[in-house]
Amino acid sequence: MNKILCFGLACFGSFSINSHAMPLNPHIIQKSIYMEFFSKKTDSIDLIRKGVAKNTAVQGLAINNNTSTLYTIHSYGKPQNAVINRFDYDPTKSTLNALDTQKPSQFIGHQGITIDQQTNMLWASAGDAIENKGLNIIGFRYTANNDVINPIIIKVFSDDYNKNTYAMPVITPDHHFLLVRGNKNGTNVVRGYDLNHVSLDHSQDISQQASFEWVINKNFYKDKYALQGLASDGKYIYLMSGGENDQNKRIQVYDLNGQLLQNLNQVTVGKLDNLFNRKTDGYWEPEGLAIDSKNKKLLILFAAGNTKNSIGKLYSISIGN
């Protein structure tokens, strides 16, 4: 049944969906590492990057399912510069080397990247070069070995939201929704825009045109965990949190109405691989989610290894229903 969602004085329409679905298999994604020790380790792909600061921790992941192209983001310096790498995605390989990279840019924010598979535009959190970066997202076309050219800046939150929180945009594979993360008075929210009614083809303020907004369950941030990944297949919205230590990570799955469907507090994907891997020094920090719609997989990106020699390790989990 449809309902109306309200946040403060703002109310947004919502959508009907089966709230009893279980998109992720909890027995796989929360597998005990002791059980895993006696079985085959989780398959993973090492992402080897190019360009400036290539060994700093990855901070986001996007996939173009039409072209089987992966993009990663990492950042460095103050003010921060962000670097995009491009890969050919082949899930049968254990290592992928970047094809090329884009020049560092202060327009692009520290964390979060997505792709509009209808236009092939990349979208990211706004960076230090953009005033009130937390209220905005930035769109641009990937150009190898070049600067960000003719960026599109979209304001997605009004001035009463946190001006420094990275919006971490996500465009669903079907091009139906743009999702962004925001913070208002210490409360974290997910906001959605219906792209059938909102255009992203030029710089503008769309902050009053949201279709829905809801509050992220507080348990998601328990133990000082931070939001590290946001993705959606257009039916479900996936959030991942955690830290750089060996504590198990957390994934929450919501429907578009903001109803919490799954609360997975003991995510161990990749834990065994990294705790006993000398190359990664036990460093195991979640840094991005994306949807492989061709293979119906949730891609989970971890930063692995110390800051002088960090790689991206990519895992995939089947999405049910």
Side-chain angles (χ1 to χ4, degrees):
M1 181 174 69
N2 288 355
K3 60 182 179 180
I4 298 297
L5 302 178
C6 296
F7 181 79
L9 298 177
C11 294
F12 306 95
S14 63
F15 306 85
S16 296
I17 195 167
N18 176 12
S19 61
H20 302 291
M22 295 286 283
L24 299 176
N25 185 332
H27 302 295
I28 294 176
I29 203 166
Q30 298 189 133
K31 180 189 290 185
S32 165
I33 64 169
Y34 302 106
M35 293 174 58
E36 190 176 4
F37 185 81
F38 296 102
S39 63
K40 185 176 182 294
K41 290 199 299 183
T42 309
D43 289 334
S44 65
I45 300 174
D46 289 353
L47 302 179
I48 310 301
R49 290 162 290 156
K50 291 182 175 181
V52 181
K54 64 182 180 180
N55 292 325
T56 61
V58 289
Q59 298 292 339
L61 172 75
I63 181 171
N64 187 331
N65 291 288
N66 296 324
T67 62
S68 295
T69 306
L70 278 178
Y71 299 89
T72 62
I73 184 172
H74 65 266
S75 61
Y76 69 96
K78 290 185 179 181
Q80 286 193 334
N81 286 266
V83 180
I84 310 294
N85 270 235
R86 179 174 63 165
F87 300 80
D88 277 337
Y89 178 55
D90 184 345
T92 67
K93 293 185 177 180
S94 60
T95 302
L96 297 178
N97 292 286
L99 300 171
D100 42 46
T101 181
Q102 191 167 261
K103 287 184 178 180
S105 173
Q106 293 179 19
F107 285 106
I108 302 172
H110 169 74
Q111 188 167 43
I113 187 172
T114 190
I115 189 163
D116 184 339
Q117 296 183 74
Q118 200 171 83
T119 65
N120 293 326
M121 289 275 289
L122 287 173
W123 290 88
S125 303
D128 288 346
I130 299 174
E131 186 178 5
N132 297 328
K133 61 185 180 183
L135 309 180
N136 298 279
I137 61 174
I138 178 173
F140 56 95
R141 293 196 178 277
Y142 179 89
T143 51
N145 307 310
N146 210 336
D147 296 311
V148 171
I149 300 171
N150 300 322
I152 296 175
I153 300 171
I154 304 286
K155 186 176 181 181
V156 291
F157 290 105
S158 55
D159 292 343
D160 52 341
Y161 285 73
N162 189 300
K163 296 178 174 60
N164 292 306
T165 300
Y166 291 109
M168 297 176 65
V170 167
I171 295 178
T172 56
D174 59 7
H175 187 76
H176 194 170
F177 291 106
L178 163 69
L179 305 173
V180 285
R181 180 272 297 262
N183 181 286
K184 185 175 183 180
N185 298 326
T187 299
N188 291 286
V189 302
V190 170
R191 171 176 282 199
Y193 290 89
D194 187 338
L195 295 179
N196 291 315
H197 304 293
V198 174
S199 172
L200 302 179
D201 61 359
H202 63 281
S203 296
Q204 59 181 309
D205 179 351
I206 63 171
S207 61
Q208 303 303 313
Q209 301 178 56
S211 295
F212 60 86
E213 178 176 295
W214 40 261
V215 174
I216 298 173
N217 185 285
K218 290 183 178 180
N219 184 62
F220 183 71
Y221 295 98
K222 187 179 178 181
D223 304 318
K224 298 182 179 180
Y225 278 21
L227 175 61
Q228 302 282 28
L230 171 64
S232 176
D233 54 10
K235 184 177 182 181
Y236 305 112
I237 297 174
Y238 305 82
L239 305 178
M240 188 168 194
S241 65
E244 62 187 47
N245 52 34
D246 62 0
Q247 292 180 344
N248 293 344
K249 314 310 179 187
R250 186 172 295 131
I251 288 180
Q252 290 188 343
V253 185
Y254 296 81
D255 64 19
L256 296 178
N257 293 331
Q259 181 172 352
L260 180 60
L261 303 179
Q262 289 186 279
N263 184 28
L264 306 173
N265 289 307
Q266 302 298 330
V267 175
T268 57
V269 174
K271 184 172 185 175
L272 182 68
D273 299 353
N274 293 295
L275 288 185
F276 303 107
N277 188 330
R278 293 179 61 186
K279 291 183 179 179
T280 60
D281 296 330
Y283 190 97
W284 176 60
E285 183 175 13
E287 290 291 3
L289 297 176
I291 301 295
D292 174 0
S293 57
K294 281 185 178 179
N295 299 298
K296 295 185 178 180
K297 301 277 190 178
L298 175 67
L299 302 183
I300 306 176
L301 177 66
F302 286 90
N306 61 56
T307 55
K308 295 182 179 180
N309 192 31
S310 178
I311 61 173
K313 291 188 77 72
L314 186 64
Y315 299 84
S316 59
I317 300 296
S318 294
I319 300 173
N321 306 309

